[in-house]
Amino acid sequence: MLDLNLAGHAVYPVAEELVLRGVPFVFVTGYAAQDLSREYMERPKLSKPFRRWDLKRIMAATFAPKGELT
């Protein structure tokens, strides 16, 4: 899970490295979806504040083995 803004710095360099390594991730942010960089618009995003159910749902969808959704 990556917060889009960490102490005033965008987290895109970390996201880029995760993409290169094939590591799944979720953006967590209070920003609007259109505020994400175009290259990451299709990545999973959890809007703050979020509910426990929303967190559980997006984590299951993002980190479930391929073909297995809960």
Side-chain angles (χ1 to χ4, degrees):
M1 296 180 68
L2 299 176
D3 196 319
L4 191 57
N5 183 328
L6 297 173
H9 299 281
V11 75
Y12 295 126
V14 175
E16 182 178 332
E17 186 64 30
L18 292 174
V19 169
L20 290 173
R21 293 178 184 211
V23 177
F25 62 90
V26 174
F27 284 113
V28 179
T29 184
Y31 294 104
Q34 63 267 21
D35 291 331
L36 279 173
S37 172
R38 280 185 171 266
E39 115 184 59
Y40 297 106
M41 286 275 201
E42 300 301 317
R43 290 284 171 170
K45 176 183 164 286
L46 188 59
S47 296
K48 292 191 273 184
F50 55 85
R51 296 175 304 216
R52 188 180 321 185
W53 168 252
D54 296 326
L55 175 62
K56 183 178 178 180
R57 179 187 48 78
I58 201 162
M59 295 299 277
T62 302
F63 298 104
K66 299 287 185 216
E68 285 186 36
L69 288 180
T70 57

Short mmCIF file of all heavy atoms in Angstrom, two decimals:
data_model
loop_
_atom_site.label_atom_id
_atom_site.label_comp_id
_atom_site.label_asym_id
_atom_site.label_seq_id
_atom_site.Cartn_x
_atom_site.Cartn_y
_atom_site.Cartn_z
N MET A 1 0.85 -1.16 0.00
CA MET A 1 0.00 0.00 0.00
C MET A 1 0.90 1.22 0.00
O MET A 1 1.82 1.32 0.81
CB MET A 1 -0.90 -0.01 1.22
CG MET A 1 -1.87 -1.17 1.22
SD MET A 1 -2.95 -1.21 2.65
CE MET A 1 -3.94 0.23 2.33
N LEU A 2 0.62 2.12 -0.93
CA LEU A 2 1.42 3.34 -1.06
C LEU A 2 0.55 4.57 -0.89
O LEU A 2 -0.42 4.75 -1.64
CB LEU A 2 2.07 3.40 -2.44
CG LEU A 2 3.04 2.31 -2.84
CD1 LEU A 2 3.50 2.52 -4.28
CD2 LEU A 2 4.22 2.29 -1.89
N ASP A 3 0.88 5.40 0.08
CA ASP A 3 0.22 6.69 0.18
C ASP A 3 0.78 7.55 -0.94
O ASP A 3 2.00 7.58 -1.14
CB ASP A 3 0.48 7.32 1.54
CG ASP A 3 -0.48 8.46 1.85
OD1 ASP A 3 -0.77 9.26 0.92
OD2 ASP A 3 -0.94 8.56 2.99
N LEU A 4 -0.05 8.21 -1.67
CA LEU A 4 0.37 8.97 -2.84
C LEU A 4 1.34 10.09 -2.49
O LEU A 4 2.25 10.39 -3.25
CB LEU A 4 -0.86 9.54 -3.56
CG LEU A 4 -0.63 10.14 -4.93
CD1 LEU A 4 -0.02 9.12 -5.87
CD2 LEU A 4 -1.94 10.63 -5.50
N ASN A 5 1.17 10.69 -1.35
CA ASN A 5 2.00 11.82 -0.94
C ASN A 5 2.62 11.51 0.42
O ASN A 5 1.93 11.35 1.40
CB ASN A 5 1.13 13.07 -0.87
CG ASN A 5 1.92 14.30 -0.52
OD1 ASN A 5 2.91 14.27 0.20
ND2 ASN A 5 1.46 15.42 -1.02
N LEU A 6 3.94 11.45 0.45
CA LEU A 6 4.67 11.20 1.70
C LEU A 6 5.51 12.42 2.04
O LEU A 6 6.50 12.71 1.37
CB LEU A 6 5.57 9.97 1.56
CG LEU A 6 4.86 8.65 1.29
CD1 LEU A 6 5.87 7.55 1.01
CD2 LEU A 6 3.99 8.27 2.48
N ALA A 7 5.06 13.15 3.04
CA ALA A 7 5.77 14.36 3.49
C ALA A 7 6.06 15.32 2.34
O ALA A 7 7.15 15.87 2.22
CB ALA A 7 7.06 13.97 4.21
N GLY A 8 5.09 15.49 1.46
CA GLY A 8 5.23 16.42 0.36
C GLY A 8 5.91 15.86 -0.89
O GLY A 8 6.13 16.58 -1.85
N HIS A 9 6.23 14.59 -0.87
CA HIS A 9 6.89 13.96 -2.01
C HIS A 9 5.98 12.89 -2.61
O HIS A 9 5.46 12.04 -1.89
CB HIS A 9 8.21 13.31 -1.59
CG HIS A 9 9.19 14.28 -1.02
ND1 HIS A 9 9.95 15.09 -1.82
CD2 HIS A 9 9.50 14.58 0.26
CE1 HIS A 9 10.71 15.85 -1.05
NE2 HIS A 9 10.46 15.56 0.22
N ALA A 10 5.84 12.93 -3.93
CA ALA A 10 5.04 11.91 -4.63
C ALA A 10 5.75 10.56 -4.53
O ALA A 10 6.97 10.49 -4.53
CB ALA A 10 4.84 12.30 -6.08
N VAL A 11 4.97 9.51 -4.45
CA VAL A 11 5.49 8.16 -4.25
C VAL A 11 5.75 7.44 -5.58
O VAL A 11 6.07 6.27 -5.60
CB VAL A 11 4.52 7.37 -3.34
CG1 VAL A 11 3.27 6.98 -4.10
CG2 VAL A 11 5.19 6.20 -2.70
N TYR A 12 5.66 8.15 -6.69
CA TYR A 12 5.80 7.52 -8.01
C TYR A 12 7.12 6.77 -8.23
O TYR A 12 7.10 5.72 -8.86
CB TYR A 12 5.55 8.52 -9.12
CG TYR A 12 4.14 9.04 -9.14
CD1 TYR A 12 3.88 10.40 -9.12
CD2 TYR A 12 3.06 8.16 -9.17
CE1 TYR A 12 2.58 10.88 -9.13
CE2 TYR A 12 1.76 8.63 -9.18
CZ TYR A 12 1.53 9.99 -9.16
OH TYR A 12 0.24 10.46 -9.16
N PRO A 13 8.25 7.24 -7.73
CA PRO A 13 9.48 6.45 -7.92
C PRO A 13 9.39 5.06 -7.27
O PRO A 13 9.87 4.08 -7.82
CB PRO A 13 10.57 7.30 -7.26
CG PRO A 13 10.05 8.70 -7.35
CD PRO A 13 8.56 8.56 -7.16
N VAL A 14 8.74 4.98 -6.13
CA VAL A 14 8.55 3.68 -5.47
C VAL A 14 7.59 2.83 -6.30
O VAL A 14 7.84 1.64 -6.52
CB VAL A 14 8.02 3.85 -4.03
CG1 VAL A 14 7.72 2.50 -3.39
CG2 VAL A 14 9.00 4.65 -3.19
N ALA A 15 6.51 3.43 -6.76
CA ALA A 15 5.54 2.71 -7.60
C ALA A 15 6.21 2.18 -8.85
O ALA A 15 5.98 1.03 -9.25
CB ALA A 15 4.37 3.63 -7.96
N GLU A 16 7.06 2.98 -9.46
CA GLU A 16 7.76 2.56 -10.68
C GLU A 16 8.62 1.32 -10.40
O GLU A 16 8.64 0.37 -11.19
CB GLU A 16 8.62 3.70 -11.20
CG GLU A 16 9.35 3.38 -12.47
CD GLU A 16 10.17 4.55 -12.97
OE1 GLU A 16 9.81 5.72 -12.70
OE2 GLU A 16 11.18 4.30 -13.64
N GLU A 17 9.32 1.33 -9.29
CA GLU A 17 10.17 0.19 -8.94
C GLU A 17 9.33 -1.06 -8.68
O GLU A 17 9.70 -2.17 -9.09
CB GLU A 17 11.03 0.52 -7.71
CG GLU A 17 12.03 -0.53 -7.37
CD GLU A 17 13.09 -0.76 -8.44
OE1 GLU A 17 13.45 0.18 -9.17
OE2 GLU A 17 13.57 -1.91 -8.54
N LEU A 18 8.19 -0.91 -8.02
CA LEU A 18 7.31 -2.05 -7.78
C LEU A 18 6.79 -2.63 -9.09
O LEU A 18 6.71 -3.85 -9.25
CB LEU A 18 6.16 -1.66 -6.85
CG LEU A 18 6.56 -1.33 -5.42
CD1 LEU A 18 5.36 -0.81 -4.63
CD2 LEU A 18 7.18 -2.52 -4.73
N VAL A 19 6.43 -1.76 -10.03
CA VAL A 19 5.97 -2.21 -11.34
C VAL A 19 7.08 -3.01 -12.02
O VAL A 19 6.84 -4.11 -12.55
CB VAL A 19 5.52 -1.02 -12.22
CG1 VAL A 19 5.31 -1.46 -13.67
CG2 VAL A 19 4.25 -0.39 -11.67
N LEU A 20 8.29 -2.48 -12.01
CA LEU A 20 9.42 -3.17 -12.64
C LEU A 20 9.67 -4.55 -12.03
O LEU A 20 10.05 -5.48 -12.73
CB LEU A 20 10.69 -2.33 -12.52
CG LEU A 20 10.73 -1.06 -13.37
CD1 LEU A 20 11.96 -0.24 -13.02
CD2 LEU A 20 10.72 -1.40 -14.84
N ARG A 21 9.42 -4.68 -10.74
CA ARG A 21 9.64 -5.95 -10.04
C ARG A 21 8.42 -6.87 -10.08
O ARG A 21 8.46 -7.97 -9.55
CB ARG A 21 10.03 -5.69 -8.60
CG ARG A 21 11.37 -5.01 -8.47
CD ARG A 21 11.71 -4.73 -7.04
NE ARG A 21 12.95 -4.00 -6.95
CZ ARG A 21 13.79 -4.10 -5.94
NH1 ARG A 21 13.52 -4.92 -4.93
NH2 ARG A 21 14.89 -3.40 -5.92
N GLY A 22 7.32 -6.37 -10.63
CA GLY A 22 6.11 -7.19 -10.70
C GLY A 22 5.39 -7.34 -9.37
O GLY A 22 4.68 -8.32 -9.16
N VAL A 23 5.58 -6.37 -8.49
CA VAL A 23 4.97 -6.42 -7.15
C VAL A 23 3.64 -5.65 -7.19
O VAL A 23 3.62 -4.47 -7.54
CB VAL A 23 5.90 -5.79 -6.10
CG1 VAL A 23 5.25 -5.76 -4.73
CG2 VAL A 23 7.23 -6.54 -6.06
N PRO A 24 2.55 -6.30 -6.83
CA PRO A 24 1.26 -5.60 -6.82
C PRO A 24 1.21 -4.57 -5.69
O PRO A 24 1.86 -4.75 -4.65
CB PRO A 24 0.23 -6.70 -6.60
CG PRO A 24 0.99 -7.81 -5.96
CD PRO A 24 2.41 -7.70 -6.42
N PHE A 25 0.48 -3.50 -5.90
CA PHE A 25 0.32 -2.48 -4.87
C PHE A 25 -0.99 -1.74 -5.06
O PHE A 25 -1.62 -1.81 -6.11
CB PHE A 25 1.51 -1.51 -4.86
CG PHE A 25 1.68 -0.72 -6.12
CD1 PHE A 25 1.05 0.50 -6.29
CD2 PHE A 25 2.47 -1.21 -7.15
CE1 PHE A 25 1.22 1.22 -7.46
CE2 PHE A 25 2.65 -0.49 -8.32
CZ PHE A 25 2.02 0.73 -8.48
N VAL A 26 -1.36 -1.04 -4.01
CA VAL A 26 -2.58 -0.23 -3.99
C VAL A 26 -2.18 1.18 -3.58
O VAL A 26 -1.42 1.35 -2.62
CB VAL A 26 -3.59 -0.80 -2.97
CG1 VAL A 26 -4.80 0.10 -2.83
CG2 VAL A 26 -4.01 -2.20 -3.34
N PHE A 27 -2.67 2.17 -4.29
CA PHE A 27 -2.49 3.55 -3.85
C PHE A 27 -3.55 3.85 -2.80
O PHE A 27 -4.71 3.48 -2.94
CB PHE A 27 -2.68 4.54 -5.01
CG PHE A 27 -1.52 4.63 -5.94
CD1 PHE A 27 -1.64 4.20 -7.25
CD2 PHE A 27 -0.31 5.16 -5.53
CE1 PHE A 27 -0.58 4.29 -8.13
CE2 PHE A 27 0.77 5.24 -6.40
CZ PHE A 27 0.64 4.81 -7.70
N VAL A 28 -3.15 4.54 -1.74
CA VAL A 28 -4.08 5.01 -0.72
C VAL A 28 -3.93 6.52 -0.71
O VAL A 28 -2.82 7.04 -0.55
CB VAL A 28 -3.72 4.43 0.67
CG1 VAL A 28 -4.68 4.96 1.71
CG2 VAL A 28 -3.74 2.92 0.64
N THR A 29 -5.04 7.23 -0.91
CA THR A 29 -4.93 8.68 -1.03
C THR A 29 -6.24 9.39 -0.73
O THR A 29 -7.31 8.80 -0.86
CB THR A 29 -4.45 9.06 -2.45
OG1 THR A 29 -4.25 10.47 -2.50
CG2 THR A 29 -5.41 8.62 -3.51
N GLY A 30 -6.11 10.63 -0.36
CA GLY A 30 -7.27 11.49 -0.20
C GLY A 30 -7.50 12.32 -1.45
O GLY A 30 -8.46 13.06 -1.55
N TYR A 31 -6.59 12.21 -2.41
CA TYR A 31 -6.72 12.94 -3.68
C TYR A 31 -7.76 12.27 -4.57
O TYR A 31 -8.05 11.09 -4.44
CB TYR A 31 -5.38 12.98 -4.42
CG TYR A 31 -4.31 13.79 -3.73
CD1 TYR A 31 -3.28 13.15 -3.05
CD2 TYR A 31 -4.34 15.18 -3.75
CE1 TYR A 31 -2.30 13.88 -2.40
CE2 TYR A 31 -3.36 15.91 -3.10
CZ TYR A 31 -2.34 15.26 -2.44
OH TYR A 31 -1.38 15.98 -1.80
N ALA A 32 -8.27 13.03 -5.51
CA ALA A 32 -9.23 12.51 -6.48
C ALA A 32 -8.52 11.60 -7.48
O ALA A 32 -7.31 11.73 -7.71
CB ALA A 32 -9.92 13.66 -7.22
N ALA A 33 -9.25 10.67 -8.08
CA ALA A 33 -8.68 9.71 -9.04
C ALA A 33 -7.96 10.42 -10.17
O ALA A 33 -6.90 9.98 -10.62
CB ALA A 33 -9.78 8.80 -9.58
N GLN A 34 -8.50 11.54 -10.64
CA GLN A 34 -7.87 12.25 -11.75
C GLN A 34 -6.55 12.92 -11.35
O GLN A 34 -5.80 13.37 -12.21
CB GLN A 34 -8.82 13.26 -12.40
CG GLN A 34 -9.26 14.37 -11.49
CD GLN A 34 -10.55 14.06 -10.77
OE1 GLN A 34 -10.95 12.92 -10.65
NE2 GLN A 34 -11.22 15.09 -10.30
N ASP A 35 -6.25 12.95 -10.06
CA ASP A 35 -4.98 13.52 -9.60
C ASP A 35 -3.82 12.53 -9.70
O ASP A 35 -2.67 12.92 -9.56
CB ASP A 35 -5.10 14.02 -8.16
CG ASP A 35 -6.01 15.23 -8.05
OD1 ASP A 35 -6.09 16.00 -9.03
OD2 ASP A 35 -6.63 15.40 -7.00
N LEU A 36 -4.13 11.27 -9.96
CA LEU A 36 -3.07 10.27 -10.16
C LEU A 36 -2.39 10.52 -11.50
O LEU A 36 -3.03 10.96 -12.45
CB LEU A 36 -3.65 8.86 -10.18
CG LEU A 36 -3.95 8.19 -8.85
CD1 LEU A 36 -4.67 6.88 -9.09
CD2 LEU A 36 -2.70 7.96 -8.05
N SER A 37 -1.12 10.21 -11.56
CA SER A 37 -0.38 10.29 -12.82
C SER A 37 -1.07 9.38 -13.83
O SER A 37 -1.52 8.28 -13.49
CB SER A 37 1.06 9.84 -12.59
OG SER A 37 1.75 9.73 -13.80
N ARG A 38 -1.15 9.81 -15.08
CA ARG A 38 -1.82 9.02 -16.13
C ARG A 38 -1.34 7.57 -16.16
O ARG A 38 -2.11 6.67 -16.37
CB ARG A 38 -1.58 9.63 -17.50
CG ARG A 38 -2.44 10.80 -17.80
CD ARG A 38 -2.19 11.23 -19.25
NE ARG A 38 -3.15 12.21 -19.61
CZ ARG A 38 -4.30 11.92 -20.23
NH1 ARG A 38 -4.57 10.70 -20.57
NH2 ARG A 38 -5.15 12.88 -20.53
N GLU A 39 -0.06 7.38 -15.98
CA GLU A 39 0.50 6.04 -16.09
C GLU A 39 0.00 5.09 -14.99
O GLU A 39 0.08 3.89 -15.13
CB GLU A 39 2.03 6.14 -16.16
CG GLU A 39 2.82 5.57 -15.07
CD GLU A 39 4.30 5.83 -15.24
OE1 GLU A 39 4.72 6.99 -15.32
OE2 GLU A 39 5.04 4.84 -15.29
N TYR A 40 -0.57 5.65 -13.93
CA TYR A 40 -1.04 4.82 -12.81
C TYR A 40 -2.56 4.86 -12.63
O TYR A 40 -3.08 4.32 -11.66
CB TYR A 40 -0.35 5.24 -11.52
CG TYR A 40 1.13 5.02 -11.56
CD1 TYR A 40 2.00 6.09 -11.69
CD2 TYR A 40 1.66 3.74 -11.52
CE1 TYR A 40 3.37 5.90 -11.75
CE2 TYR A 40 3.02 3.53 -11.58
CZ TYR A 40 3.87 4.61 -11.70
OH TYR A 40 5.22 4.40 -11.76
N MET A 41 -3.27 5.47 -13.55
CA MET A 41 -4.73 5.62 -13.43
C MET A 41 -5.45 4.29 -13.28
O MET A 41 -6.48 4.23 -12.62
CB MET A 41 -5.29 6.37 -14.63
CG MET A 41 -5.00 7.82 -14.62
SD MET A 41 -6.25 8.62 -13.65
CE MET A 41 -6.12 10.26 -14.25
N GLU A 42 -4.93 3.24 -13.88
CA GLU A 42 -5.61 1.94 -13.85
C GLU A 42 -5.22 1.10 -12.64
O GLU A 42 -5.75 0.01 -12.44
CB GLU A 42 -5.32 1.17 -15.14
CG GLU A 42 -5.79 1.88 -16.40
CD GLU A 42 -7.29 2.15 -16.38
OE1 GLU A 42 -8.06 1.26 -15.97
OE2 GLU A 42 -7.68 3.27 -16.77
N ARG A 43 -4.31 1.58 -11.83
CA ARG A 43 -3.89 0.84 -10.63
C ARG A 43 -4.98 0.92 -9.58
O ARG A 43 -5.74 1.90 -9.51
CB ARG A 43 -2.59 1.44 -10.07
CG ARG A 43 -1.39 1.20 -10.93
CD ARG A 43 -0.96 -0.24 -10.76
NE ARG A 43 0.07 -0.57 -11.74
CZ ARG A 43 0.75 -1.68 -11.70
NH1 ARG A 43 0.55 -2.55 -10.75
NH2 ARG A 43 1.65 -1.94 -12.62
N PRO A 44 -5.05 -0.09 -8.71
CA PRO A 44 -6.05 -0.04 -7.63
C PRO A 44 -5.81 1.17 -6.73
O PRO A 44 -4.66 1.53 -6.45
CB PRO A 44 -5.81 -1.33 -6.86
CG PRO A 44 -5.02 -2.21 -7.76
CD PRO A 44 -4.27 -1.32 -8.69
N LYS A 45 -6.90 1.81 -6.30
CA LYS A 45 -6.83 3.00 -5.47
C LYS A 45 -7.85 2.90 -4.36
O LYS A 45 -9.00 2.54 -4.60
CB LYS A 45 -7.08 4.23 -6.33
CG LYS A 45 -7.12 5.53 -5.56
CD LYS A 45 -7.45 6.66 -6.53
CE LYS A 45 -7.88 7.88 -5.81
NZ LYS A 45 -9.22 7.83 -5.26
N LEU A 46 -7.42 3.20 -3.16
CA LEU A 46 -8.31 3.22 -2.00
C LEU A 46 -8.35 4.66 -1.51
O LEU A 46 -7.32 5.24 -1.19
CB LEU A 46 -7.77 2.28 -0.92
CG LEU A 46 -8.63 2.02 0.29
CD1 LEU A 46 -9.98 1.42 -0.11
CD2 LEU A 46 -7.91 1.10 1.24
N SER A 47 -9.54 5.23 -1.50
CA SER A 47 -9.69 6.63 -1.10
C SER A 47 -9.81 6.76 0.41
O SER A 47 -10.52 5.99 1.06
CB SER A 47 -10.93 7.23 -1.76
OG SER A 47 -10.76 7.26 -3.15
N LYS A 48 -9.10 7.75 0.95
CA LYS A 48 -9.18 8.04 2.38
C LYS A 48 -10.30 9.04 2.61
O LYS A 48 -10.48 9.93 1.78
CB LYS A 48 -7.87 8.65 2.89
CG LYS A 48 -6.72 7.70 2.88
CD LYS A 48 -5.54 8.26 3.64
CE LYS A 48 -4.65 9.12 2.78
NZ LYS A 48 -3.46 9.62 3.44
N PRO A 49 -11.00 8.96 3.67
CA PRO A 49 -10.97 7.86 4.64
C PRO A 49 -11.67 6.64 4.06
O PRO A 49 -12.56 6.77 3.20
CB PRO A 49 -11.74 8.41 5.84
CG PRO A 49 -12.70 9.39 5.25
CD PRO A 49 -12.00 9.97 4.04
N PHE A 50 -11.27 5.47 4.49
CA PHE A 50 -11.89 4.25 3.98
C PHE A 50 -12.38 3.39 5.14
O PHE A 50 -11.97 3.57 6.28
CB PHE A 50 -10.92 3.45 3.10
CG PHE A 50 -9.61 3.12 3.76
CD1 PHE A 50 -9.47 2.01 4.58
CD2 PHE A 50 -8.51 3.93 3.56
CE1 PHE A 50 -8.27 1.71 5.18
CE2 PHE A 50 -7.29 3.64 4.15
CZ PHE A 50 -7.18 2.53 4.97
N ARG A 51 -13.28 2.50 4.81
CA ARG A 51 -13.83 1.58 5.81
C ARG A 51 -13.08 0.27 5.75
O ARG A 51 -12.45 -0.07 4.74
CB ARG A 51 -15.32 1.35 5.54
CG ARG A 51 -16.16 2.61 5.68
CD ARG A 51 -17.57 2.33 5.29
NE ARG A 51 -17.53 1.79 3.92
CZ ARG A 51 -18.41 2.01 2.99
NH1 ARG A 51 -19.43 2.76 3.24
NH2 ARG A 51 -18.30 1.49 1.80
N ARG A 52 -13.15 -0.47 6.83
CA ARG A 52 -12.48 -1.76 6.91
C ARG A 52 -12.90 -2.67 5.75
O ARG A 52 -12.09 -3.37 5.17
CB ARG A 52 -12.80 -2.44 8.24
CG ARG A 52 -12.00 -3.69 8.46
CD ARG A 52 -12.33 -4.36 9.76
NE ARG A 52 -12.54 -3.39 10.82
CZ ARG A 52 -12.74 -3.70 12.07
NH1 ARG A 52 -12.74 -4.95 12.44
NH2 ARG A 52 -12.94 -2.78 12.97
N TRP A 53 -14.19 -2.65 5.41
CA TRP A 53 -14.69 -3.49 4.32
C TRP A 53 -14.02 -3.11 3.00
O TRP A 53 -13.66 -3.96 2.21
CB TRP A 53 -16.21 -3.38 4.21
CG TRP A 53 -16.73 -3.99 2.95
CD1 TRP A 53 -17.23 -3.33 1.86
CD2 TRP A 53 -16.73 -5.37 2.60
NE1 TRP A 53 -17.56 -4.21 0.87
CE2 TRP A 53 -17.26 -5.49 1.30
CE3 TRP A 53 -16.34 -6.52 3.25
CZ2 TRP A 53 -17.41 -6.69 0.65
CZ3 TRP A 53 -16.48 -7.73 2.60
CH2 TRP A 53 -17.01 -7.81 1.32
N ASP A 54 -13.86 -1.81 2.75
CA ASP A 54 -13.21 -1.36 1.52
C ASP A 54 -11.77 -1.85 1.46
O ASP A 54 -11.29 -2.30 0.42
CB ASP A 54 -13.24 0.17 1.41
CG ASP A 54 -14.64 0.72 1.31
OD1 ASP A 54 -15.51 0.05 0.70
OD2 ASP A 54 -14.88 1.82 1.85
N LEU A 55 -11.07 -1.77 2.58
CA LEU A 55 -9.70 -2.25 2.65
C LEU A 55 -9.63 -3.75 2.39
O LEU A 55 -8.82 -4.21 1.57
CB LEU A 55 -9.09 -1.93 4.02
CG LEU A 55 -7.69 -2.48 4.28
CD1 LEU A 55 -6.69 -1.89 3.31
CD2 LEU A 55 -7.29 -2.21 5.72
N LYS A 56 -10.50 -4.50 3.02
CA LYS A 56 -10.52 -5.95 2.83
C LYS A 56 -10.79 -6.32 1.37
O LYS A 56 -10.12 -7.18 0.80
CB LYS A 56 -11.58 -6.57 3.74
CG LYS A 56 -11.62 -8.07 3.67
CD LYS A 56 -12.66 -8.62 4.63
CE LYS A 56 -12.71 -10.13 4.52
NZ LYS A 56 -13.68 -10.71 5.43
N ARG A 57 -11.74 -5.65 0.77
CA ARG A 57 -12.13 -5.93 -0.62
C ARG A 57 -10.98 -5.65 -1.59
O ARG A 57 -10.64 -6.48 -2.42
CB ARG A 57 -13.35 -5.09 -0.99
CG ARG A 57 -13.83 -5.27 -2.42
CD ARG A 57 -14.93 -4.29 -2.78
NE ARG A 57 -14.66 -2.92 -2.41
CZ ARG A 57 -13.87 -2.09 -3.09
NH1 ARG A 57 -13.26 -2.49 -4.17
NH2 ARG A 57 -13.68 -0.84 -2.69
N ILE A 58 -10.36 -4.48 -1.46
CA ILE A 58 -9.31 -4.13 -2.41
C ILE A 58 -8.05 -4.97 -2.19
O ILE A 58 -7.36 -5.32 -3.14
CB ILE A 58 -8.99 -2.62 -2.38
CG1 ILE A 58 -8.32 -2.22 -3.69
CG2 ILE A 58 -8.14 -2.23 -1.19
CD1 ILE A 58 -8.33 -0.75 -3.97
N MET A 59 -7.76 -5.33 -0.95
CA MET A 59 -6.60 -6.18 -0.68
C MET A 59 -6.82 -7.58 -1.26
O MET A 59 -5.92 -8.15 -1.86
CB MET A 59 -6.32 -6.26 0.82
CG MET A 59 -5.92 -4.92 1.43
SD MET A 59 -4.42 -4.26 0.74
CE MET A 59 -3.22 -5.14 1.70
N ALA A 60 -8.02 -8.11 -1.09
CA ALA A 60 -8.32 -9.44 -1.64
C ALA A 60 -8.23 -9.42 -3.16
O ALA A 60 -7.65 -10.32 -3.77
CB ALA A 60 -9.71 -9.89 -1.19
N ALA A 61 -8.76 -8.38 -3.78
CA ALA A 61 -8.75 -8.30 -5.24
C ALA A 61 -7.33 -8.10 -5.77
O ALA A 61 -6.98 -8.64 -6.82
CB ALA A 61 -9.64 -7.15 -5.70
N THR A 62 -6.52 -7.36 -5.06
CA THR A 62 -5.17 -7.04 -5.53
C THR A 62 -4.17 -8.15 -5.27
O THR A 62 -3.31 -8.43 -6.09
CB THR A 62 -4.67 -5.74 -4.86
OG1 THR A 62 -5.60 -4.69 -5.16
CG2 THR A 62 -3.29 -5.35 -5.36
N PHE A 63 -4.29 -8.80 -4.11
CA PHE A 63 -3.26 -9.75 -3.70
C PHE A 63 -3.68 -11.21 -3.77
O PHE A 63 -2.89 -12.09 -3.44
CB PHE A 63 -2.78 -9.42 -2.29
CG PHE A 63 -2.15 -8.05 -2.22
CD1 PHE A 63 -2.83 -6.98 -1.66
CD2 PHE A 63 -0.90 -7.83 -2.76
CE1 PHE A 63 -2.25 -5.73 -1.61
CE2 PHE A 63 -0.32 -6.57 -2.72
CZ PHE A 63 -1.00 -5.52 -2.15
N ALA A 64 -4.92 -11.49 -4.21
CA ALA A 64 -5.35 -12.88 -4.35
C ALA A 64 -4.58 -13.53 -5.49
O ALA A 64 -4.27 -12.88 -6.48
CB ALA A 64 -6.86 -12.93 -4.64
N PRO A 65 -4.27 -14.82 -5.34
CA PRO A 65 -3.63 -15.52 -6.45
C PRO A 65 -4.51 -15.40 -7.69
O PRO A 65 -5.72 -15.32 -7.61
CB PRO A 65 -3.56 -16.97 -5.97
CG PRO A 65 -3.62 -16.88 -4.49
CD PRO A 65 -4.48 -15.68 -4.19
N LYS A 66 -3.88 -15.35 -8.84
CA LYS A 66 -4.61 -15.23 -10.10
C LYS A 66 -5.72 -16.26 -10.19
O LYS A 66 -5.52 -17.43 -9.90
CB LYS A 66 -3.67 -15.41 -11.30
CG LYS A 66 -2.56 -14.39 -11.37
CD LYS A 66 -3.11 -13.05 -11.79
CE LYS A 66 -1.95 -12.08 -11.97
NZ LYS A 66 -2.24 -10.76 -11.59
N GLY A 67 -6.91 -15.79 -10.55
CA GLY A 67 -8.05 -16.68 -10.71
C GLY A 67 -8.80 -16.95 -9.42
O GLY A 67 -9.83 -17.60 -9.43
N GLU A 68 -8.30 -16.46 -8.30
CA GLU A 68 -8.97 -16.68 -7.00
C GLU A 68 -9.37 -15.34 -6.41
O GLU A 68 -8.54 -14.57 -6.00
CB GLU A 68 -8.02 -17.36 -6.02
CG GLU A 68 -7.78 -18.79 -6.26
CD GLU A 68 -6.94 -19.39 -5.14
OE1 GLU A 68 -7.11 -18.99 -3.97
OE2 GLU A 68 -6.10 -20.23 -5.46
N LEU A 69 -10.65 -15.06 -6.37
CA LEU A 69 -11.16 -13.88 -5.70
C LEU A 69 -12.07 -14.32 -4.59
O LEU A 69 -12.84 -15.24 -4.72
CB LEU A 69 -11.91 -12.97 -6.67
CG LEU A 69 -11.05 -12.22 -7.68
CD1 LEU A 69 -11.95 -11.37 -8.58
CD2 LEU A 69 -10.03 -11.34 -7.01
N THR A 70 -11.99 -13.60 -3.47
CA THR A 70 -12.85 -13.94 -2.33
C THR A 70 -14.00 -12.98 -2.24
O THR A 70 -13.96 -11.92 -2.76
CB THR A 70 -12.06 -13.90 -1.02
OG1 THR A 70 -11.46 -12.60 -0.87
CG2 THR A 70 -11.02 -14.98 -0.97
#
